[in-house]
Amino acid sequence: GISERRSRWLQDWVKHVIVRGRCDRAEMDEVLGRWGFAARVLEDLRPFLGPLYSWKSRLQVGKARIVPAMVRLILEFLGERLKEASTVLCQVEVDAEGEIFRGDARASEEDAEIGAWECRGGVAPEHARWFSMKITKEHFPWVFHKNDPKRVIAALELLTTLIAVMVFIPEGERQQHALVRISGSTDNRGNGFMMEKGMTTTFPACVVLMESCIQLKRRGLLLDLEWRRREENVEADDLSNGDCGKFCKD
């Protein structure tokens, strides 16, 4: 973990900058260096640094700018995380279970849909749990904020993985860390790199990645997200197109 002194410095800085409400580039350079050091061992913090790096790129040295709401909320979360614990176990037994589920997402200029099914243990589609969901503007306005869901397809693919984790691996199901190998998108290799690196500065994918980090941590899980060719992921592709014919509706 990180020392109590380093942890206290970061917590005090978060409180100070939130009260002050302003920050410049030189200060963020120093602070992100400290957060980056902390994230080398507290790896669940890493996804939350992406938006901070993105905002820092807009700052100028010697010219303080108002801290936006999203940055403020992330800093508050990071400060609370350090309050809870600034250490992690050095030795964690990793249990590789193999493939748990497969998912996919589809988007057009007007609409979007996601779907996934639980293939754990080699179960056949007709006996598997699954979901297929239309993405509506009412419930997912961020998908339509660029007026074209295709422009956020990477975030939609990651949303499919996030929901699959929450649906197929409920909290409390496992009591130890596990390496879960998950087959992901048919047409987006970037999601695997994003999850492996634990960071992206792209909005809205960064927000979905942050939530994924929290959900995985609650379940004591590590995530290995794989890419599959379309012909190897036909069932998930069907679900993302609203075709549930291979699955039991019960």
Side-chain angles (χ1 to χ4, degrees), residues 67-82:
V67 178
M70 182 176 179
V71 172
R72 187 172 65 249
L73 288 171
I74 291 172
L75 291 175
E76 288 178 349
F77 170 82
L78 292 175
E80 290 298 318
R81 169 67 178 82
L82 287 181

Side-chain angles (χ1 to χ4, degrees), residues 162 165-166 171 211-219:
L162 167 61
V165 167
M166 296 175 69
E171 286 188 62
E211 182 64 26
S212 300
C213 168
I214 294 299
Q215 295 298 333
L216 289 166
K217 182 175 176 58
R218 287 177 179 174
R219 289 159 174 78

